[in-house]
Amino acid sequence: MPLTLELVRECLNNVDDGAGRWQIEGGKVLEGKRQVANYSSVKRVSCGTEPQNTAMLWLTIFFLGEHPGQPPQNITLHGAHDFNSGGEIGCVSAASPAFAAHITKQFTRVVNTLTIS
């Protein structure tokens, strides 16, 4: 069964350096109307990706912990972001034990909807 989450952006920063552009994004993660996590996303436009207007993507979802003081369970995604469409694709590259079954599953993001299937 797919995991469908809504990403609600709360911050977005663009940072340019000599090799290209970094885009850093973060915010809340909702399942239905309930916040279940926070997320952080880094996109990197660099040599070789500029002509396609695409970027390397790293996105980590930090699920809200049940026990204060313990590290959050998480899922890390790697893939590509297309600045023309805004879409993202890739796969789950790592996860903490609660989400380990999702490792290697594909993901897509269309606007604010992230689906891991």
Side-chain angles (χ1 to χ4, degrees):
M1 178 170 223
L3 176 61
T4 302
L5 303 167
E6 180 183 356
L7 305 182
V8 180
R9 182 172 53 205
E10 294 183 329
C11 66
L12 177 68
N13 295 298
N14 292 313
V15 179
D16 293 323
D17 64 18
R21 169 170 279 190
W22 295 89
Q23 188 174 75
I24 299 106
E25 172 186 346
K28 296 178 185 176
V29 179
L30 306 179
E31 189 170 30
K33 300 276 186 206
R34 184 173 66 93
Q35 182 180 2
V36 296
N38 294 297
Y39 78 98
S40 178
S41 169
V42 176
K43 300 168 188 99
R44 175 71 170 153
V45 176
S46 61
C47 178
T49 62
E50 289 179 32
Q52 294 174 304
N53 200 26
T54 193
M56 296 175 287
L57 168 72
W58 303 267
L59 189 148
T60 301
I61 300 169
F62 303 96
F63 289 88
L64 300 175
E66 295 179 17
H67 307 287
Q70 291 186 340
Q73 296 287 317
N74 63 75
I75 295 176
T76 298
L77 312 169
H78 284 101
H81 173 88
D82 180 348
F83 284 102
N84 293 316
S85 70
E88 297 174 351
I89 59 170
C91 70
V92 176
S93 60
S96 54
F99 297 96
H102 294 288
I103 295 173
T104 72
K105 291 190 177 178
Q106 300 291 306
F107 79 87
T108 58
R109 180 178 176 186
V110 178
V111 189
N112 294 327
T113 302
L114 176 73
T115 303
I116 300 171
S117 54

